Amino acid sequence: MIVPGYRDHPTEPWDPDAPVDPGEAEDFLRRCYTENPRLGPVEPRLAIVRAQIAATGTYVHTPDELTHGARMAWRNASRCIGRLYWRSLLVLDRRRARTADEIYSLLVQHLRTAGDGQIRPVISVFAPAQPGRPYARVWNEQLIRYAGYRTEDGHEVGDRRLRDFTTAVRAFGWQGKGEAFDVLPLVVETPADGIRLYELPERAIREVPISHPEYAWFTELGLRWHAVPAIANMRLTIGGVHYPLAPFNGWYLGTEIGARNFADTDRYDLIPRVAARLGLDTSRESTLWRDRALVELNRAVLHSFELAGVRMSDHHTEARRFVTHIDNEAKAGRPVPADWSWIVPPMSGALTPVFHRYYPEMDLRPAFYLDEEAAALAREGRRRCPHR
Ligand code: ARG
């Protein structure tokens, strides 16, 4: 799809040694100042930025540019169904933090700011990468994740997805309880302090125990989940400047937990257990026992968050809001890049309006990217290729 005035960026691997691309800086600044007339004319600002790039290889965003740039990155996140709220993103400017201790305490503050009931979308933006210089990062994929273990007799405990990461942090000296919902420590890496592990304090971790509106036995499954999904390892890029540490959170959509985290066979794999407790006929696929168990599991998740007073959306409501977002953006003359396979919910897809259409697949910037190295660190807790 070709939209006048929109430049499509091919996703190429990030080169941390490369200076800022002045064309990308200009592209962003023009858009940012057009969308925010109160910022005044862009030309004087462009002159300053061009000079800064020529002299230093990079430039420094004003707080307004940082705030709007981060919001644009959310607006451009083609896998996110929750983008109707992109303007409400609270942007915490943490660019001055340097030490691991400082970063850790600001991450705790992030989770406290996101809240423990009326969750609000927040991003903490730490220092940008300087071309050719080492930068701070967090290894974890999310600020809050549960450990995964394989017991000696071959049983899986906890979140299987995090099993290798768990093994790695144990090798660093962390002691997990070996239970199904042990919150992993944060692995903070800085040029100043190297690799440091931090345990999150309880006050930063709101969790919801899972019960079912009708089946009292559901609590016997001993399930819980954390209230705040906070992605920690995606690189935010704004106008050619890269922010490798810019953790952000929204609130949960029920299906993320009920239809994926609890249901995927490489996560908690709970469908067979729930089906057994429901007494379903699992001898044949055609009884749709998996689907029936999935619905009850998802009812339990939505019910529990509501009961706990923790903000969560259901997939029908959020899908409708996404269509509203598309309409709003069309009025503003902007396309909504979207990835169908992520936007359509993992259950009852065709019952929601987002199923019945296609979307432009564009890579617009500002954007969030998951770099290969960041993905490997979050999966395995170690570098795949030797560090430069
Ligand atoms: N799907 C991820 C999880 O279950 C979270 C991704 C971000 N979700 C969100 N609602 N902002 O942990």
Side-chain angles (χ1 to χ4, degrees):
M1 171 167 167
I2 295 177
V3 180
Y6 276 87
R7 205 142 61 95
D8 205 346
H9 302 271
T11 0
E12 59 214 19
W14 172 41
D15 174 6
D17 295 337
V20 166
D21 169 2
E24 198 170 327
E26 178 170 342
D27 193 45
F28 161 68
L29 290 168
R30 288 194 184 281
R31 202 176 304 285
C32 179
Y33 283 68
T34 308
E35 290 183 16
N36 299 278
R38 64 174 185 86
L39 299 183
V42 72
E43 294 301 336
R45 176 64 179 142
L46 283 176
I48 294 169
V49 167
R50 279 191 205 109
Q52 265 188 33
I53 296 175
T56 67
T58 186
Y59 68 106
V60 180
H61 287 132
T62 65
D64 283 322
E65 290 163 5
L66 187 72
T67 297
H68 195 68
R71 290 177 178 162
M72 287 169 84
W74 183 9
R75 192 176 78 197
N76 289 335
S78 51
R79 295 175 163 186
C80 175
I81 194 175
R83 285 178 275 166
L84 176 61
Y85 314 95
W86 67 273
R87 282 176 202 280
S88 73
L89 180 65
L90 176 65
V91 181
L92 302 177
D93 183 353
R94 305 308 201 192
R95 287 177 289 178
R96 291 157 63 129
R98 286 291 174 280
T99 67
D101 283 355
E102 277 176 299
I103 290 171
Y104 164 70
S105 84
L106 291 170
L107 294 174
V108 171
Q109 260 193 54
H110 179 124
L111 289 170
R112 303 275 294 163
T113 309
D116 54 13
Q118 182 55 29
I119 314 291
R120 55 143 109 183
V122 180
I123 184 167
S124 295
V125 185
F126 289 89
Q130 302 294 329
R133 304 261 296 274
Y135 49 88
R137 70 190 325 162
V138 162
W139 287 17
N140 310 57
E141 62 173 20
Q142 288 193 31
L143 297 183
I144 303 174
R145 288 264 94 166
Y146 297 119
Y149 314 88
R150 182 178 285 152
T151 63
E152 266 154 38
D153 52 355
H155 281 95
E156 301 285 349
V157 177
D159 196 341
R160 277 167 217 197
R161 177 187 172 87
L162 277 302
R163 211 176 50 206
D164 291 345
F165 187 83
T166 303
T167 306
V169 292
R170 289 175 107 185
F172 283 135
W174 180 74
Q175 311 234 323
K177 283 187 293 205
E179 292 173 3
F181 298 98
D182 297 345
V183 174
L184 286 160
L186 288 172
V187 180
V188 179
E189 181 183 4
T190 58
D193 300 313
I195 295 163
R196 291 212 182 163
L197 263 60
Y198 294 90
E199 200 82 66
L200 283 168
E202 251 168 58
R203 65 194 157 83
I205 311 168
R206 176 68 194 273
E207 292 182 289
V208 176
I210 308 296
S211 61
H212 189 282
E214 286 143 32
Y215 304 121
W217 52 260
F218 220 94
T219 55
E220 291 163 23
L221 297 172
L223 306 180
R224 54 204 289 132
W225 204 258
H226 51 92
V228 178
I231 306 290
N233 65 345
M234 291 182 82
R235 166 173 53 91
L236 167 63
T237 177
I238 301 174
V241 176
H242 303 277
Y243 296 93
L245 181 53
F248 59 88
N249 76 277
W251 58 85
Y252 263 117
L253 191 61
T255 51
E256 298 185 82
I257 302 169
R260 301 297 311 281
N261 303 350
F262 282 166
D264 281 1
T265 51
D266 58 351
R267 303 294 300 283
Y268 280 79
D269 193 19
L270 287 165
I271 295 296
R273 271 174 75 195
V274 172
R277 294 298 300 253
L278 286 166
L280 301 177
D281 175 2
T282 61
S283 68
R284 294 170 300 134
E285 289 295 351
S286 58
T287 65
L288 298 190
W289 61 271
R290 294 182 199 275
D291 311 68
R292 295 180 63 189
L294 182 67
V295 168
E296 297 310 331
L297 189 49
N298 278 274
R299 286 183 69 203
V301 169
L302 287 163
H303 163 80
S304 306
F305 271 65
E306 191 177 323
L307 196 67
V310 174
R311 186 176 202 169
M312 168 172 271
S313 291
D314 65 81
H315 47 295
H316 302 286
T317 305
E318 211 56 56
R320 274 202 307 274
R321 288 181 184 150
F322 184 65
V323 174
T324 303
H325 171 63
I326 294 176
D327 293 344
N328 291 349
E329 289 295 289
K331 278 178 211 133
R334 290 188 294 256
V336 175
D339 178 339
W340 192 97
S341 68
W342 277 65
I343 296 296
V344 171
M347 65 186 286
S348 314
L351 298 181
T352 71
V354 295
F355 177 96
H356 301 276
R357 50 195 297 167
Y358 289 108
Y359 307 93
E361 287 176 25
M362 312 165 84
D363 179 28
L364 300 178
R365 292 183 196 171
F368 293 103
Y369 294 110
L370 180 58
D371 295 314
E372 224 173 276
E373 191 187 34
L377 286 171
R379 275 304 172 106
E380 294 160 27
R382 60 184 172 82
R383 289 202 158 72
R384 214 167 257 166
C385 35
H387 191 41
R388 299 168 313 128

